[in-house]
């Protein structure tokens, strides 16, 4: 991929998934969801802000049936390393009782975020609840998370693009790439 698509970001390492590869996989998941939920009258895609936005808005257009979208915003209590304590910053608006909910996140790392939100949602009596993640860092799991729909499994590298960020940068890249830690450190001091 040419360096022009790095925009002004100068910390991009290796491109893991191109826009074409992502599109193909998102289309596949969209079809899967459509096939499994075609009889549902109350399908809700519930995205976790902000990382899931790009994935979710592409995915919803591949699910060719009536559906509703909603969002929640959650954060880990401290630092970049997940602490296991997840705070709800803003809650969804829909009363999910009786809805078929698909919880969508950008990436599963330790699994604490998805697991905490999943438990909270189950207490709110959805008709069904499934989990959809664009990426999964399998080696990093510290808790079992049932991922029903997955984009790609990746190794333990920090990635940006297609909604994912490093300190809020990189979300608008059209591909998913690793961050070059050395270049990133240098770019912070510019
Ligand atoms: P978990 O609770 O450890 O599973 O953390 C998941 C959250 O950490 C994701 O929703 C992301 O916001 C963030 N995260 C984990 N790994 C990465 C990465 O490689 N790039 C960007 N964000 C990440
Ligand atoms: Mg996130």
């Amino acid at each position: 991929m040419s360096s022009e698509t790095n925009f002004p970001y100068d910390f991009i390492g290796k491109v893991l998934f191109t826009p074409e590869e992502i599109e193909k996989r998102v289309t596949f998941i969209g079809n899967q969801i459509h096939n499994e939920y075609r009889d549902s009258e109350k399908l809700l895609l519930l995205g976790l802000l902000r990382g899931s936005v790009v994935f979710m808005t592409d995915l919803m257009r591949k699910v060719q049936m009536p559906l509703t979208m909603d969002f929640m915003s959650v954060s880990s209590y401290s630092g970049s390393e997940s602490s296991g304590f997840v705070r709800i910053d803003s809650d969804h608006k829909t009363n999910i009782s009786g809805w078929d909910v698909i919880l969508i996140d950008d990436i599963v790392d330790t699994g604490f975020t998805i697991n905490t939100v999943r438990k909270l949602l189950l207490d709110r009596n959805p008709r069904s609840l499934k989990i959809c993640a664009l990426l999964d860092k399998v080696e990093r799991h510290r808790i079992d998370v049932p991922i029903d729909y997955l984009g790609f499994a990746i190794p333990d590298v920090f990635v940006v693009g297609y909604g994912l960020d490093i300190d809020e940068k990189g979300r608008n890249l059209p591909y998913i790439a690793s961050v070059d830690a050395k270049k990133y450190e240098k770019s912070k001091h510019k």
Side-chain angles (χ1 to χ4, degrees):
M1 181 154 302
S2 85
S3 58
E4 286 139 58
T5 43
N6 287 343
F7 311 131
Y9 301 125
D10 43 15
F11 50 78
I12 306 302
K14 186 171 163 263
V15 174
L16 272 68
F17 305 105
T18 63
E20 295 74 23
E21 287 169 327
I22 298 169
E23 220 246 311
K24 207 170 149 198
R25 190 66 196 155
V26 172
T27 304
F28 178 85
I29 298 171
N31 285 333
Q32 240 185 329
I33 291 175
H34 178 215
N35 287 334
E36 284 168 40
Y37 288 85
R38 58 170 79 241
D39 297 326
S40 171
E41 279 164 20
K42 285 180 137 192
L43 174 59
L44 175 71
L45 302 188
L46 179 52
L48 295 187
L49 294 172
R50 284 161 285 204
S52 72
V53 166
V54 177
F55 173 44
M56 179 156 153
T57 51
D58 276 353
L59 179 66
M60 69 188 291
R61 282 171 287 176
K62 304 290 184 187
V63 184
Q64 300 281 313
M65 59 177 283
L67 58 77
T68 299
M69 80 193 300
D70 206 338
F71 294 98
M72 284 173 86
S73 179
V74 302
S75 50
S76 290
Y77 269 122
S78 62
S80 58
E81 188 81 351
S82 245
S83 55
F85 295 98
V86 177
R87 187 183 64 201
I88 308 294
D89 294 325
S90 88
D91 215 335
H92 57 86
K93 280 190 171 174
T94 320
N95 174 356
I96 64 167
S97 170
W99 283 78
D100 291 312
V101 179
I102 304 182
L103 174 61
I104 300 180
D105 203 4
D106 52 355
I107 185 163
V108 177
D109 185 12
T110 61
F112 286 135
T113 304
I114 279 286
N115 190 56
T116 306
V117 177
R118 179 176 170 269
K119 282 200 275 188
L120 183 126
L121 295 178
L122 282 174
D123 281 345
R124 296 174 175 176
N125 296 315
R127 181 164 175 259
S128 66
L129 176 63
K130 287 203 174 178
I131 290 170
C132 174
L134 173 65
L135 301 172
D136 183 19
K137 283 188 193 173
V138 192
E139 295 163 41
R140 299 253 316 161
H141 287 197
R142 289 183 49 202
I143 195 162
D144 252 355
V145 189
I147 305 177
D148 301 285
Y149 305 102
L150 176 65
F152 308 98
I154 62 166
D156 182 10
V157 288
F158 203 86
V159 293
V160 289
Y162 199 67
L164 290 107
D165 72 303
I166 183 158
D167 296 334
E168 295 303 323
K169 290 189 275 283
R171 292 196 198 273
N172 58 333
L173 290 164
Y175 50 80
I176 296 166
S178 63
V179 171
D180 183 318
K182 278 190 199 143
K183 286 189 197 162
Y184 185 68
E185 278 310 307
K186 262 197 214 158
S187 78
K188 285 206 290 194
H189 301 296
K190 270 187 188 162

